[in-house]
Amino acid sequence: MEWQNEYPRELSRGARSCLMQRGLSWDDEYWGIKRNSWTCNTIEHLAAALKINPYVKTLNVSHNYIGVGDEPTAKHDFSDALAVNRSLKTLQLACCGIGPKTMNYLAKALKINSSLTKIDFTRNKIRDEGAQYLAASLKINSSLTDIDLTRCDIGAVGLCHLAEALKVNSALSKLCLEGNKVGAEGALHLAEALKVNSSLGLVNLKWCNIGNAGITHLAEALKVSTSIKWLNVCGNKIAIRGAYHLSEALKVNTSVMGLDLGRNKIDAKGLLHLSEALKVNSSIRRLGLEKCNIGDEDVHCLADAVRVNVTVTDLFLQDNDVCVESMWNLEKAHRRSTPQSRHSRHRRTGIRVRHPLLERARRDLSYRDYIFYCMLYGQHQMMPEDDLFVGVNHFMACLLTGMDIQIIPKQPLGRMDLNRNSQIYQLQKEMAEGGLSMFDLARADPSRMQALQQCMRLLDYKY
């Protein structure tokens, strides 16, 4: 039969039939086992195939139990296959019922395996004992770069073992501990390891209940560490005192590029501390402040910080009591590069505030209205490269001449016609080079302000 010729002869007939039934081709780079579809025999046949397969790079067996009925032979077969295989790069074991005993088998295989770079243990009951076995393998393994331990029921004791491994390991770059019982004590162990480790770049401690004490320990580590680039401490009951210690660390740290502080009680005082740090920090690109009890009046200190800061590009403010106008103004406050003329291909890259209301406002804007918004708020760095719409130029002419606005055409104007009115072009150039908005121009002349208001009514401009 044709399917029999697809697999090597040294593979048993039962293993061939197992792979065939699950649609797994021998030379595929991805093997995925259907949810809740395997038995002890399936593991045995799959393990036999993995021992000799040189092609598969990703194996996804999530939502399948390793060792149904707590069979030690099945676990042993699977771990033996991992120890021998030399092609596998990614192993997904989410929700596989892995406990400390199974982790012991897998950890022994990881000590030998030299090809795996990423492994996912999400939602397994590994606990502190299993973390101890995993830590022992990390002291020897030099290939793993990404480990996901989300919701694995690991506590401070398990973190202590992992931290000891991190002091020795020089390969791991991503560690996810989301939803574990880390606490302040576990954060202390991790912080001590981060002071020594030079490879770890991403640490996810979301929903780990580390509190103010835990973030204080991590802040001390950030003052020393030069490898951490992304830190997620979302939902950790961090308040004003924790924000203060973190801000002091950010004034010194030069490596952190992404920081997620969402769903913590930062409040106005905590935001003030962080804003002072942003005035000094030169590395942060992304700052998450979702649901941090921030209001309109609190954003002003953040606006003052982004006027000075030259690196922040993404600011997340979801689920805060901040209106769209304040977020527009926050984007406007960010001026980074030297002003450019309208004809220059280089556009200044400004900060982008991430918020559902703001994203919806951008999405609902027509192209003509979007151009109008860019000119209205002085956001010339967001101006598209192609020609402007007649409506904007018609409005510009009204500002110059005081004409009444009757009709705003919707057809685009060619480049030759666009440059025909030298007054309009000169005003556009003046606005771009000076970083001026239409509001800035209109405030100086009552007739211009009247024309501005009339144009906004015609456009039904609500932002």
Side-chain angles (χ1 to χ4, degrees), residues 13-80:
R13 186 177 182 86
R16 295 182 190 182
S17 177
C18 177
L19 296 178
M20 180 67 180
Q21 290 175 3
R22 285 158 180 78
L24 303 178
S25 298
W26 185 252
D27 57 354
D28 281 349
E29 293 187 354
Y30 175 85
W31 281 5
I33 306 298
K34 189 177 179 181
R35 181 172 182 164
N36 297 327
S37 67
W38 72 357
T39 62
C40 292
N41 289 333
T42 306
I43 300 175
E44 180 185 351
H45 295 318
L46 182 65
L50 283 176
K51 287 179 180 179
I52 60 175
N53 185 288
Y55 303 108
V56 63
K57 293 183 178 179
T58 301
L59 177 62
N60 184 357
V61 294
S62 297
H63 300 279
N64 287 287
Y65 286 93
I66 297 179
V68 178
D70 205 28
E71 282 280 348
T73 54
K75 305 172 186 178
H76 187 70
D77 289 340
F78 191 71
S79 60
D80 280 353

Side-chain angles (χ1 to χ4, degrees), residues 342-343 386-390 392-393 413-422 424-425 428:
R342 183 180 58 85
H343 290 292
D386 51 2
D387 295 332
L388 303 179
F389 268 71
V390 176
V392 176
N393 291 282
L413 191 67
R415 191 175 295 278
M416 294 294 292
D417 295 331
L418 180 65
N419 295 332
R420 189 172 295 169
N421 190 322
S422 59
I424 293 177
Y425 170 68
Q428 289 174 338

Side-chain angles (χ1 to χ4, degrees), residues 108-123:
K108 290 177 181 178
L110 291 177
K111 291 179 181 180
I112 303 172
N113 184 284
S114 60
S115 64
L116 269 176
T117 59
K118 180 179 180 179
I119 190 165
D120 183 2
F121 288 114
T122 299
R123 292 181 180 272

Side-chain angles (χ1 to χ4, degrees), residues 342 347 361-376 382-393 408-413 415 418 459 461 463:
R342 183 180 58 85
R347 301 292 174 187
R362 292 193 186 99
R363 190 167 57 248
D364 291 344
L365 289 175
S366 67
Y367 184 74
R368 177 169 53 95
D369 291 349
Y370 177 72
I371 297 293
F372 179 77
Y373 155 73
C374 292
M375 302 298 288
L376 187 67
M382 297 170 62
M383 196 76 75
E385 293 289 342
D386 51 2
D387 295 332
L388 303 179
F389 268 71
V390 176
V392 176
N393 291 282
I408 298 182
K410 296 184 179 180
Q411 298 299 320
L413 191 67
R415 191 175 295 278
L418 180 65
L459 286 175
Y461 207 77
Y463 310 109

Side-chain angles (χ1 to χ4, degrees), residues 296-349:
D296 273 331
E297 62 280 1
D298 308 327
V299 177
H300 297 299
C301 63
L302 199 57
D304 293 337
V306 298
R307 286 191 183 95
V308 180
N309 187 284
V310 296
T311 58
V312 176
T313 57
D314 289 292
L315 185 60
F316 292 77
L317 292 173
Q318 294 95 319
D319 298 320
N320 285 293
D321 190 17
V322 181
C323 67
V324 175
E325 184 179 356
S326 295
M327 289 183 282
W328 283 143
N329 293 331
L330 190 57
E331 285 190 347
K332 179 184 173 183
H334 199 265
R335 306 294 182 190
R336 293 232 315 248
S337 63
T338 55
Q340 300 291 326
S341 66
R342 183 180 58 85
H343 290 292
S344 172
R345 287 194 174 274
H346 172 71
R347 301 292 174 187
R348 289 181 293 173
T349 54

